[in-house]
Amino acid sequence: MRNRNQKRKFIRLSYVLMLLGLFPSSTIARPFVLVLSHDDLNIKDPVTDGVSDSDPTDSDFDDFIDSDAKPDYELDPGSWSPIFEPSTNNSPYFNSSSSSPDEDVENNNGENFDLIYYLGVKKMATAATRGDERGMAEAAMEIETAAAAGHSHSQSVMGFLYGMGIMRERSKAKAFLHHYFAAEGGNMQSKMALAYTYYRQDMHEKAVQLYAELAEIAVNSFLISKDSPVIEPVRIHSGAEENKEALRKSRGEEDEDFQILEYQAQKGNAGAMYKIGIFYYFGLRGVRRDHAKALAWFLKAVEKGEPRSMELLGEIYARGAGVERNYTKALEWLTLASKQQLYSAYNGMGYLYVKGYGVEKKNYTKAKEYFEKAAENEEAGGFYNLGVVHLKGIGVKRNLRQACNHFILAANAGQPKAFYQLAKMFQTGVGLKKNLPMATALYKLVAERGPWSSMSRWALESYLKGDVGKAFLLYSRMAELGYEVAQSNAAWILDKYGENSLCLGESGICTESERHLRSHALWWQASEQGNEHAALLIGDAYYYGRGTARDYDRAAEAYMHAKSQSNAQAMFNLGYMHEHGQGLPFDLHLAKRYYDQALEIDPAAKLPVTLALASLWLRKNYANSFMVEFIDSLRELYPKVEAWVEDMIMEEGNATILTLFACLLTVLYLRERQRRHAVVAGGGGMAPQQPFEQAVLAGR
């Protein structure tokens, strides 16, 4: 208890919130960090904390929501899940065996636009797989017919096609209009696309409204006792190369590790049974979601006394996931789990008492006791639930200060519901001063965990099967919704596979120019969201004129952006640009500073940095010599000094050339040193050592 009080005291003193846990570090470019000070608080009275009867916390929204295991097509109307996960869907709008509108229910006009839409999307996915421009054109025409009749989901897809320039001229205006009307008709993915558009343009008043709605839908799908695992948007590349390790771990049932785990489970290992159940329940590591299989494995695990499976069974019965909802059974399983010292189960028990589910009547006192037990054992859900209790005044006197403290503790532990509550506070100005940019950013993080994130799983599954065209289509759709990982994945596929990416443009397979333009746009969007590799590639594109006009100023701007994220290559490039006066002022001292910083960040850069410092020394002492002209010509032969050095060493015989070049530098250096010693001997003084001499000596 003492440690807990110390932690609260620390938070009251500094209000430093490190929001590091919402996504795994492998899925984002940089951790999201938010620092709160006393000035951010908006608490007026130490007793009532400024809560009035008209505060937005009295809204109709129930902070202890009913967590439902609804299918994607209900939470996300127009979802493509009936196409990509037909075995887990019973959508009333589409049956994969249907081939014509007559086989389904017709609307008042005798046309079934839902079926036309789904058949069009299915045809579109098939065309992407084959690079079939005729099939894509037919699919676009069919979907456009439904969109013209006011079908919102079809309008959403047309917004996507116009935005990407697929079988239609690329038009941001037409894309925006289609998404606007689709969003008005209830299409969630168009709301995501519009919110991201507003977010990029700093139109936070509009963006925050959409992201708040989308984040609420995401929160409604979360578990009641513990945080739901993230559907990991795997980055399929690491820099310029394929991320083989991450892909190996995402092969689902074909993965060797999964097969070993399954073998252990079949041999009676309770922990393995639980993990297999988790994979099937949430659809993790490339495994298809299957609630029936998950339930079977959890039941086998509890026979072995596995407490985490008891908790998940409680969740399953509380949410009605694959079984008939039964709150009484849910409470029984959660109680058994809590007796096994699984403290997160107390959150589920408290939830049931707050709602009055599976118990005789609501009991706020008992609910608060359970939440406190979870919090006392450092369980993030306990902190969050206590925050809601104090925010809403459920069984206690309202206290915004306590609510803020608990939400911050929960957010520090990566509890996404706490991100949602903090976003709401920033949006409304209750408890925290109104800050729409911060509210928008936090809502966006939560909204991206909504049901539409399932596309990342389908895209990865397609890529692992070698279906690059379909993977690119899905990643492109997610990129439009604002997912940074999808933006970089789609751009990387274009750069890596070229024509084999099966990219479809305005009138057929993408031309080289179309691929470059689309790749450039995707990398740019990813760089805006903190992807340092993307910022580096954007800088290269402007520096070398790849897919855009050569622009050293914009290249320097992009490298500066990557440098701000401590990227060693960007620092090296900035040093090079200062050395040659390209896009930046000619300044050898600044060039040396950037080279030194690159080496500090990445010790592996020692060789290129040493050569660069040697180049600086030559430029300073032999400004008009043939050696400087030779060095300046290298950038025309090789895009980067680092790449040049790697190629020189890798190819047979080039090591000798490099050695001769180093010997030449040494001879020149020794001659210069001899000359200066002669000057000293003749003048009776000592010539000061030049800073670039020090650099070369240090690198030798």
Side-chain angles (χ1 to χ4, degrees):
M1 184 64 72
R2 182 181 177 184
N3 291 337
R4 183 178 168 201
N5 290 335
Q6 288 176 341
K7 183 179 285 189
R8 287 188 175 184
K9 182 178 179 182
F10 170 77
I11 288 187
R12 280 195 289 270
L13 288 172
S14 63
Y15 281 90
V16 177
L17 175 59
M18 303 289 288
L19 305 184
L20 304 177
L22 188 57
F23 292 106
S25 60
S26 62
T27 67
I28 55 176
R30 287 285 166 188
F32 186 93
V33 179
L34 171 65
V35 179
L36 301 181
S37 68
H38 282 291
D39 293 336
D40 293 307
L41 297 177
N42 189 26
I43 298 174
K44 307 167 189 175
D45 186 271
V47 178
T48 64
D49 287 333
V51 179
S52 67
D53 292 338
S54 61
D55 269 323
T57 50
D58 281 328
S59 66
D60 294 332
F61 177 71
D62 184 355
D63 293 274
F64 287 106
I65 47 87
D66 286 322
S67 182
D68 290 326
K70 293 180 179 178
D72 284 353
Y73 66 81
E74 287 189 28
L75 293 170
D76 178 22
S79 166
W80 295 357
S81 60
I83 306 293
F84 292 96
E85 287 188 286
S87 61
T88 60
N89 281 274
N90 293 306
S91 171
Y93 306 122
F94 176 75
N95 184 324
S96 59
S97 64
S98 299
S99 58
S100 71
D102 295 333
E103 294 181 41
D104 210 324
V105 181
E106 297 180 346
N107 66 4
N108 293 333
N109 297 323
E111 293 183 281
N112 184 344
F113 291 124
D114 282 320
L115 185 58
I116 293 173
Y117 162 74
Y118 276 115
L119 290 173
V121 171
K122 186 176 182 181
K123 184 179 291 187
M124 190 169 69
T126 302
T129 296
R130 301 171 181 170
D132 179 4
E133 48 197 89
R134 176 179 291 182
M136 184 65 76
E138 291 176 358
M141 189 175 298
E142 292 170 9
I143 293 172
E144 188 171 37
T145 300
H151 187 255
S152 60
H153 308 326
S154 299
Q155 290 169 338
S156 179
V157 172
M158 290 308 301
F160 166 61
L161 296 179
Y162 276 113
M164 296 299 294
I166 301 175
M167 309 314 295
R168 295 291 184 276
E169 76 277 10
R170 189 172 184 182
S171 171
K172 290 183 178 180
K174 290 183 178 180
F176 179 85
L177 283 174
H178 279 91
H179 281 307
Y180 178 82
F181 288 113
E184 289 289 303
N187 186 276
M188 296 301 164
Q189 293 184 26
S190 279
K191 290 182 181 182
M192 280 287 288
L194 282 180
Y196 178 59
T197 299
Y198 293 137
Y199 177 70
R200 291 187 69 196
Q201 298 174 0
D202 294 329
M203 299 172 67
H204 297 294
E205 288 189 2
K206 292 185 176 181
V208 76
Q209 296 293 334
L210 289 167
Y211 274 133
E213 179 185 350
L214 295 159
E216 182 178 332
I217 293 171
V219 169
N220 287 352
S221 66
F222 294 165
L223 302 184
I224 62 174
S225 66
K226 62 189 296 182
D227 185 19
S228 305
V230 179
I231 297 178
E232 304 162 11
V234 176
R235 199 178 298 279
I236 62 176
H237 66 100
S238 179
E241 300 303 320
E242 189 176 68
N243 191 351
K244 295 186 183 299
E245 181 61 20
L247 294 175
R248 183 188 66 79
K249 294 179 179 179
S250 304
R251 294 188 178 276
E253 295 175 342
E254 297 178 4
D255 179 32
E256 183 179 348
D257 290 344
F258 180 87
Q259 292 172 357
I260 292 172
L261 193 66
E262 189 174 37
Y263 175 78
Q264 293 173 341
Q266 291 170 348
K267 291 295 183 181
N269 186 309
M273 293 175 183
Y274 165 75
K275 289 180 181 178
I276 293 289
I278 285 288
F279 289 163
Y280 279 120
Y281 188 76
F282 293 104
L284 303 178
R285 300 282 293 269
V287 175
R288 277 288 182 98
R289 284 186 298 184
D290 191 323
H291 288 164
K293 285 185 178 180
L295 179 63
W297 281 114
F298 289 144
L299 288 171
K300 289 180 181 180
V302 296
E303 291 177 1
K304 302 281 186 179
E306 215 291 319
R308 294 171 297 177
S309 296
M310 297 175 187
E311 182 184 24
L312 262 297
L313 284 173
E315 289 279 359
I316 286 172
Y317 280 109
R319 304 178 75 232
V323 297
E324 185 177 349
R325 177 174 278 173
N326 188 322
Y327 289 117
T328 302
K329 282 189 176 182
L331 183 60
E332 290 174 357
W333 283 116
L334 290 169
T335 302
L336 285 173
S338 68
K339 290 179 179 179
Q340 298 288 326
Q341 296 186 329
L342 195 66
Y343 302 115
S344 56
Y346 285 121
N347 292 311
M349 296 166 67
Y351 169 87
L352 294 176
Y353 275 101
V354 162
K355 303 292 286 187
Y357 295 156
V359 295
E360 291 183 3
K361 61 179 181 179
K362 295 181 180 180
N363 189 328
Y364 296 146
T365 302
K366 203 162 189 176
K368 181 172 175 288
E369 289 175 0
Y370 284 133
F371 295 149
E372 287 175 341
K373 284 184 179 180
E376 286 168 4
N377 289 280
E378 304 299 318
E379 215 294 314
F383 293 129
Y384 166 78
N385 289 322
L386 285 175
V388 174
V389 164
H390 287 289
L391 177 68
K392 303 289 287 185
I394 300 174
V396 297
K397 188 173 182 178
R398 281 174 149 186
N399 189 320
L400 285 185
R401 189 181 299 277
Q402 288 292 332
C404 280
N405 284 347
H406 284 113
F407 288 144
I408 289 171
L409 286 169
N412 276 332
Q415 169 50 261
K417 294 179 185 177
F419 286 73
Y420 176 76
Q421 292 293 355
L422 289 169
K424 189 188 292 187
M425 288 180 161
F426 276 122
Q427 180 189 8
T428 60
V430 174
L432 295 170
K433 286 185 179 178
K434 196 168 185 176
N435 187 332
L436 292 186
M438 189 61 67
T440 304
L442 291 171
Y443 276 138
K444 181 177 185 290
L445 288 174
V446 180
E448 288 182 350
R449 293 188 65 171
W452 32 86
S453 65
S454 295
M455 281 188 288
S456 67
R457 190 171 63 251
W458 308 332
L460 179 62
E461 185 178 284
S462 298
Y463 183 81
L464 290 172
K465 290 179 178 178
D467 193 342
V468 177
K470 188 180 291 183
F472 176 69
L473 178 75
L474 289 164
Y475 281 132
S476 297
R477 175 63 162 173
M478 288 192 75
E480 184 187 40
L481 307 190
Y483 287 85
E484 181 273 320
V485 174
Q487 291 164 351
S488 66
N489 283 349
W492 181 81
I493 287 175
L494 285 173
D495 291 347
K496 179 71 174 180
Y497 289 89
E499 291 182 0
N500 294 327
S501 66
L502 302 181
C503 163
L504 289 167
E506 182 176 340
S507 57
I509 296 294
C510 288
T511 64
E512 185 176 0
S513 174
E514 284 179 316
R515 284 199 310 275
H516 276 307
L517 287 173
R518 196 175 297 183
S519 172
H520 180 84
L522 289 164
W523 283 127
W524 186 261
Q525 291 172 13
S527 72
E528 288 177 340
Q529 301 198 72
N531 186 315
E532 62 186 53
H533 176 70
L536 195 63
L537 289 175
I538 288 296
D540 289 348
Y542 280 121
Y543 187 89
Y544 298 108
R546 295 173 183 162
T548 184
R550 178 173 287 188
D551 189 329
Y552 290 136
D553 291 335
R554 298 195 73 173
E557 181 183 347
Y559 289 144
M560 280 289 188
H561 183 56
K563 175 254 180 185
S564 68
Q565 300 169 59
S566 302
N567 184 281
Q569 180 67 62
M571 294 174 183
F572 185 94
N573 292 354
L574 288 169
Y576 186 87
M577 295 179 79
H578 271 301
E579 181 183 353
H580 295 86
Q582 296 175 329
L584 293 171
F586 176 79
D587 191 322
L588 298 184
H589 291 282
L590 274 178
K592 181 179 184 299
R593 182 182 301 173
Y594 278 122
Y595 288 144
D596 289 340
Q597 288 177 354
L599 185 58
E600 289 176 10
I601 295 296
D602 186 3
K606 185 172 183 178
L607 178 58
V609 168
T610 301
L611 290 173
L613 292 174
S615 170
L616 285 179
W617 179 81
L618 280 173
R619 196 174 298 280
K620 181 175 177 63
N621 293 284
Y622 297 93
N624 298 317
S625 69
F626 79 94
M627 285 300 300
V628 173
E629 294 178 2
F630 172 70
I631 291 171
D632 287 344
S633 69
L634 290 177
R635 67 176 182 271
E636 302 299 328
L637 299 175
Y638 299 95
K640 300 175 186 175
V641 174
E642 182 180 28
W644 169 68
V645 171
E646 289 177 355
D647 290 342
M648 290 284 287
I649 294 174
M650 291 296 289
E651 293 184 12
E652 184 179 356
N654 284 342
T656 303
I657 298 174
L658 185 61
T659 302
L660 291 173
F661 179 67
C663 289
L664 179 59
L665 290 178
T666 303
V667 169
L668 289 171
Y669 167 72
L670 291 174
R671 286 185 61 186
E672 175 66 13
R673 185 179 179 184
Q674 185 179 19
R675 183 185 66 79
R676 292 187 180 183
H677 277 296
V679 171
V680 171
M686 180 174 287
Q689 194 177 43
Q690 296 298 317
F692 299 111
E693 286 185 59
Q694 298 174 9
V696 174
L697 287 171
R700 290 179 60 183

